[in-house]
Amino acid sequence: MLNKKSIKNILNVKHTCIDKVTMLADTSIMIQIHATKGQQCRCGICGKKSKFYDNGNQGARTWRACDWAGHKVILVAPSYRVNCPKHGVVTCKYPWARHDSKFTYKFEEMTAWMAVNCSKSAVAAFMRISWNTVGPVISRVEKDLDINPEERFNNLVRIGVDETSYRKGHKYITTVVNHDTGNVIWVAQGHGKTIFEKFFKQLTPEQRASIRLVSGDGAKWIDECIKEYCPNANRCVDPFHVIEWAMDALDDVRVDAWREAKKNAPSQPKAKCGRPKKDAPKKDNTAAELKNSKMALGKSPANLTPKQQVKVEWIAKTDPRLYRAYKLKEALRLVFYNDTVEEAEEALTAWIKWARHCRIPAFVELQKKIVRHWKSILNTIEFRLTNARIEAINNKIKLSIRMAYGFRNIENMMAMIMLRCSDIKVQLPWEQEEWVSFFCI
């Protein structure tokens, strides 16, 4: 049998005395322990020395520790309450576990590490805990590891903001990313000006003044917050969203062309059984061809397949208005490929003049939107700052939600985002100094 010092080192616990080790009938290992004298009679919340109050009629408490070769390890210790001057009567503090937790520090850290790298069902099966237990464990570990979250707001120069949905029914969260580190620095439930204002209100005047570039989509609430809280920052509109506006306008023109072609198509008699005659009139497929041209119109000319090139050429001959809309979309996309701001400004001015007189209502409205974001588009070209990094973070967030099969508790979900996408690093028990030093003796 291992001696008590070896058992304590294997458990990787501090300020703990081993009393008795017992193998139960179900092959679980029960270890009776108690805290050292210096760690007794401490408040479970603040950890300060307090007066003994009573046993609380709670008897002994149990905690799960990391398994030993597939055997469950259960720690058992007597429970009592203390009278804290600040928090009142609370359960005493245990040096091997967090307050109101039924698991040891090392067990929760291993669970959190697995939750970051595996699906929630795999974590629950491997750690042999309930499905709904993983979320609260993640929150406790994130709160413990994120000692000073305000440090992330220091030396901010380039940030990106975007909202992403985490559940059906227009449920959104807003994330802010530091472009220089690639980490999430802030996340909150909801979206809009009132939510983004909370981020700026957490910053000091010096931290706000250090921000020079802010990237995002074309949302007005981003512009309003920047203008109010950091007017010296340059606003950058993501090129992907600008081209997406043009694609939406092009799609409106395509749908209108399809409806018009369908309306003007000659009525065809009902087809009879058998093979049609040689002199029978051919069916007009113009509407069907326009309906199926979305993929070809969405690509750039360099990426078109031979069949798609034929379709675009057919559109140029069949529907000049739709082809003109396609050329407008391509001209706007090429604006972002200019090397200098002067060239981009000249190209954008020419595009706005063209779109203003193109006699296509969707692109006339689009040029008004482009005029409103004129300065932001030129800032994007000058500073070469896009929202690609934060879009990648959003994809990682959606992947985390899918791996967890959704979150019922929004706080647990945001804790998971911070563990996975911020600078917080969850360590396994054997990666920490106490465990390594034990084997280096």
Side-chain angles (χ1 to χ4, degrees):
M1 178 65 69
L2 294 172
N3 58 37
K4 294 182 179 180
K5 183 177 180 181
S6 299
I7 295 174
K8 179 181 174 181
N9 287 326
I10 294 173
L11 289 173
N12 202 359
V13 293
K14 289 184 176 182
H15 312 295
T16 305
C17 297
I18 308 298
D19 297 329
K20 186 179 180 182
V21 180
T22 307
M23 178 70 77
L24 302 181
D26 60 351
T27 69
S28 299
I29 302 173
M30 185 179 69
I31 304 176
Q32 297 179 359
I33 58 176
H34 68 272
T36 57
K37 188 174 182 180
Q39 296 299 315
Q40 294 177 3
C41 290
R42 290 184 177 272
C43 174
I45 300 175
C46 63
K48 293 183 179 180
K49 275 283 189 178
S50 305
K51 292 184 179 180
F52 176 85
Y53 186 75
D54 63 2
N55 290 325
N57 297 324
Q58 299 180 19
R61 284 190 61 183
T62 60
W63 297 264
R64 275 283 307 278
C66 294
D67 294 351
W68 290 2
H71 297 277
K72 284 186 178 180
V73 179
I74 302 172
L75 306 184
V76 183
S79 177
Y80 57 91
R81 297 190 296 177
V82 296
N83 190 357
C84 177
K86 182 178 180 180
H87 299 100
V89 179
V90 295
T91 305
C92 66
K93 178 178 177 60
Y94 300 96
W96 54 82
R98 295 176 176 86
H99 187 60
D100 290 337
S101 175
K102 295 183 179 181
F103 309 97
T104 63
Y105 283 108
K106 305 307 174 185
F107 186 93
E108 290 193 334
E109 288 167 6
M110 180 179 288
T111 303
W113 185 91
M114 289 198 65
V116 170
N117 296 278
C118 307
S119 67
K120 202 172 182 179
S121 57
V123 179
F126 184 82
M127 302 303 295
R128 291 191 278 186
I129 56 179
S130 170
W131 177 280
N132 297 325
T133 306
V134 179
V137 168
I138 292 171
S139 294
R140 287 194 293 267
V141 173
E142 188 272 337
K143 185 178 179 180
D144 235 21
L145 295 179
D146 198 9
I147 301 174
N148 192 5
E150 289 77 15
E151 286 187 359
R152 298 193 188 95
F153 304 146
N154 295 331
N155 303 319
L156 291 179
V157 179
R158 305 186 305 162
I159 64 172
V161 58
D162 198 9
E163 75 277 0
T164 183
S165 62
Y166 65 91
R167 188 186 297 174
K168 291 182 178 179
H170 297 285
K171 303 292 185 181
Y172 292 94
I173 55 173
T174 301
T175 53
V176 179
V177 173
N178 185 351
H179 281 290
D180 295 320
T181 61
N183 296 323
V184 173
I185 57 174
W186 186 79
V187 61
Q189 183 182 8
H191 72 291
K193 183 180 178 182
T194 55
I195 302 299
F196 196 29
E197 281 180 337
K198 295 179 181 178
F199 167 72
F200 284 109
K201 289 178 180 178
Q202 292 184 10
L203 305 181
T204 63
E206 293 78 13
Q207 290 171 336
R208 295 177 196 166
S210 66
I211 299 175
R212 290 289 176 263
L213 298 173
V214 181
S215 68
D217 55 19
K220 293 182 179 179
W221 52 269
I222 300 178
D223 295 328
E224 293 172 357
C225 289
I226 294 173
K227 185 177 180 180
E228 182 177 354
Y229 292 99
C230 51
N232 296 327
N234 292 309
R235 170 82 157 92
C236 298
V237 176
D238 187 45
F240 172 81
H241 291 90
V242 177
I243 306 305
E244 189 179 29
W245 301 340
M247 282 298 304
D248 292 339
L250 176 61
D251 203 48
D252 291 341
V253 179
R254 183 188 61 84
V255 171
D256 291 340
W258 166 71
R259 288 173 179 168
E260 187 176 352
K262 188 177 180 181
K263 182 180 179 181
N264 296 333
S267 58
Q268 298 286 341
K270 188 176 180 180
K272 297 180 180 180
C273 296
R275 185 176 297 175
K277 296 180 180 180
K278 292 183 179 180
D279 57 346
K282 293 184 178 180
K283 186 178 179 181
D284 187 2
N285 294 324
T286 304
E289 292 292 334
L290 290 173
K291 184 178 181 180
N292 298 325
S293 63
K294 184 176 181 179
M295 184 64 70
L297 293 174
K299 286 186 175 182
S300 64
N303 297 328
L304 292 174
T305 63
K307 289 184 178 180
Q308 290 171 344
Q309 289 177 358
V310 172
K311 179 162 286 191
V312 171
E313 292 172 359
W314 173 82
I315 290 173
K317 297 176 182 178
T318 307
D319 196 326
R321 185 170 177 268
L322 179 58
Y323 184 70
R324 190 164 68 252
Y326 170 72
K327 298 297 287 184
L328 279 165
K329 184 267 295 184
E330 283 301 310
L332 182 60
R333 183 180 65 84
L334 294 175
V335 169
F336 292 96
Y337 285 84
N338 288 281
D339 296 328
T340 63
V341 182
E342 291 76 14
E343 294 176 355
E345 186 174 2
E346 183 180 351
L348 193 59
T349 303
W351 185 91
I352 291 174
K353 186 177 179 180
W354 183 17
R356 189 173 296 166
H357 299 88
C358 69
R359 293 172 295 173
I360 302 176
F363 278 88
V364 172
E365 291 298 320
L366 176 60
Q367 64 87 21
K368 295 179 182 178
K369 194 172 185 179
I370 296 296
V371 170
R372 290 197 300 269
H373 295 89
W374 172 274
K375 183 61 178 175
S376 301
I377 293 173
L378 294 181
N379 287 338
T380 302
I381 298 170
E382 179 181 0
F383 299 106
R384 300 295 175 182
L385 184 67
T386 69
N387 232 30
R389 190 182 296 276
I390 195 169
E391 292 294 343
I393 293 291
N394 287 342
N395 189 34
K396 200 172 183 180
I397 291 172
K398 290 183 181 294
L399 176 62
S400 302
I401 295 171
R402 287 198 299 271
M403 289 174 62
Y405 298 95
F407 284 88
R408 292 184 179 180
N409 190 311
I410 186 65
E411 298 297 331
N412 295 340
M413 187 191 73
M414 292 192 293
M416 181 66 176
I417 292 171
M418 295 305 294
L419 284 180
R420 195 165 194 178
C421 304
S422 71
D423 56 350
I424 302 175
K425 301 300 180 185
V426 185
Q427 290 184 324
L428 289 167
W430 51 83
E431 293 177 340
Q432 300 177 11
E433 295 180 359
E434 297 88 352
W435 187 270
V436 175
S437 63
F438 167 66
F439 287 100
C440 293
I441 297 176

